[in-house]
Amino acid sequence: MTLAEHRTASVSKPEAVRRVALVIGGVLAIAVAAVLSLAFGSRTVALPEILEGLAAWTRGEVAQQLGAIAVQERIPRTVLALAAGAALALSGALMQAVTRNPIADPGILGVNTGASLFVVCGIAFLGISSTWAYLGLALAGASLAAAFVYVIGSIGPGGATPIKLALAGAATTAALSSLVSAVLLPRAQAMNEFRFWQVGGVGGASWDTMAVIVPLLAAAALVALLASPALNALALGDDVAVGLGVRVGRTRAIAAAAGVVLCAGVTAIAGPIAFVGLMVPHVVRLLSGPDQRWLLPLSAVGGAVLLTLADTIGRVIGSPGEVEAGIVTAFLGAPVLVLIARRTRIKAL
């Protein structure tokens, strides 16, 4: 019996019912979050105006009512918030599975900041302006930062332990953030135009950039979901995984690459949004269990809901301006990080 067959056979009926309920609840939560995102902002829009704006948008027309026009303008950022939140949560779940680190997250492990540094350097020194250039630099920066943190965290006895990876990631993030500031501060134009890189947000959403990024995120998400049975085997230990026929090195490399692509793609279009990949997988794991075949897709759903609601909350509390979604997620995520650190037993150095 394969690992997947064993897990399928061992799922009890109540557990299966709970997971189906989670899927249905997740779909409903996405719908509610999307409606709230379309309804609230500098102007509150009623449900009839939302329906009018959506109907006109599907026909390719410009709405006539002011509220419906506001809805049409909010559609791109709502779509981006859903896609970016799903990608970040999925990336965090992958990194936690690959490193067996309960506090692994694109922001904590320096991946976000590495992508940001390369993009900012490209803007300041190379004058890049295309989405493809942003994406290429973000992928390069995220990959190098992830590799650097893993190498540093692997030095010394015990290899890449969770606490060493967390410390290496925190130090790398601090250093790279300083470099981002050093590049931007003397350049007022770049600072004004790309200051959202330091906090992250979806306010700059456009269909042109999403047409480039979202297909890449979808492809990386598909790779992650296909790797979920092998990730279940990795959770049992490398020796057991090898005995079950899993190629440990290849599985880790594929899952890590998918996580980096998901994080870098979001960073290229929305800036470094932290804590989504940390919070959501932990909550989902408590509800659905550790099975990666359920944890990964449900994390994507939870991340989409969280970031969309964070963006909506930022618009409401900052009205008539807005508070970037990255600030809201950081405000929510910091206490969660403290709680996880207090409740999780991590091996010492």
Side-chain angles (χ1 to χ4, degrees):
M1 178 180 290
T2 65
L3 177 67
E5 291 172 341
H6 173 72
R7 287 188 176 272
T8 301
S10 63
V11 174
S12 63
K13 185 175 180 180
E15 186 176 3
V17 171
R18 185 178 76 252
R19 288 173 173 175
V20 172
L22 286 173
V23 172
I24 296 174
V27 173
L28 292 176
I30 285 179
V32 171
V35 170
L36 293 176
S37 178
L38 296 175
F40 292 100
S42 57
R43 174 188 175 89
T44 302
V45 180
L47 183 59
E49 293 174 306
I50 293 176
L51 297 177
E52 179 187 344
L54 289 173
W57 177 73
T58 56
R59 295 192 301 267
E61 301 173 356
V62 177
Q64 300 301 316
Q65 299 296 325
L66 186 60
I69 294 174
V71 169
Q72 288 186 320
E73 292 177 348
R74 293 170 187 169
I75 291 175
R77 73 183 297 160
T78 301
V79 173
L80 177 58
L82 291 170
L88 289 173
L90 188 54
S91 177
L94 286 171
M95 292 182 182
Q96 290 173 16
V98 170
T99 63
R100 298 181 195 165
N101 185 348
I103 57 174
D105 166 78
I108 293 175
L109 295 183
V111 179
N112 274 342
T113 317
S116 296
L117 176 62
F118 270 55
V119 172
V120 168
C121 287
I123 292 165
F125 302 125
L126 304 177
I128 65 169
S129 59
S130 71
T131 304
W132 284 108
Y134 292 159
L135 179 59
L137 289 173
L139 285 171
S143 300
L144 290 175
F148 179 78
V149 168
Y150 188 81
V151 169
I152 296 299
S154 300
I155 296 175
T161 61
I163 187 64
K164 287 163 66 178
L165 285 173
L167 292 174
T172 301
T173 297
L176 296 181
S177 297
S178 299
L179 290 177
V180 170
S181 298
V183 171
L184 286 178
L185 286 176
R187 298 166 178 84
Q189 183 176 356
M191 182 69 173
N192 291 332
E193 187 174 356
F194 298 99
R195 62 184 181 275
F196 72 90
W197 284 98
Q198 294 180 322
V199 291
V202 296
S206 70
W207 294 117
D208 291 338
T209 54
M210 282 191 285
V212 174
I213 301 296
V214 172
L216 181 68
L217 298 181
L222 179 60
V223 170
L225 295 178
L226 292 175
S228 58
L231 291 176
N232 278 334
L234 287 183
L236 301 175
D238 290 358
D239 293 338
V240 175
V242 171
L244 291 170
V246 174
R247 297 183 179 180
V248 174
R250 187 178 70 174
T251 299
R252 278 209 176 94
I254 291 174
V260 168
V261 169
L262 288 166
C263 169
V266 173
T267 304
I269 193 174
I273 301 174
F275 289 109
V276 175
L278 174 69
M279 289 186 286
V280 175
H282 276 279
V283 174
V284 172
R285 194 176 289 110
L286 291 174
L287 297 174
S288 69
D291 190 341
Q292 297 291 333
R293 295 172 301 167
W294 289 90
L295 177 63
L296 294 181
L298 288 174
S299 293
V301 171
V305 173
L306 175 62
L307 188 58
T308 304
L309 291 179
D311 180 53
T312 305
I313 292 170
R315 280 182 277 152
V316 171
I317 65 177
S319 181
E322 65 178 79
V323 176
E324 297 289 356
I327 296 176
V328 178
T329 58
F331 179 79
L332 297 174
V336 174
L337 175 60
V338 174
L339 180 62
I340 293 171
R342 287 175 60 89
R343 297 185 62 180
T344 304
R345 294 183 178 181
I346 303 176
K347 291 181 180 181
L349 289 169

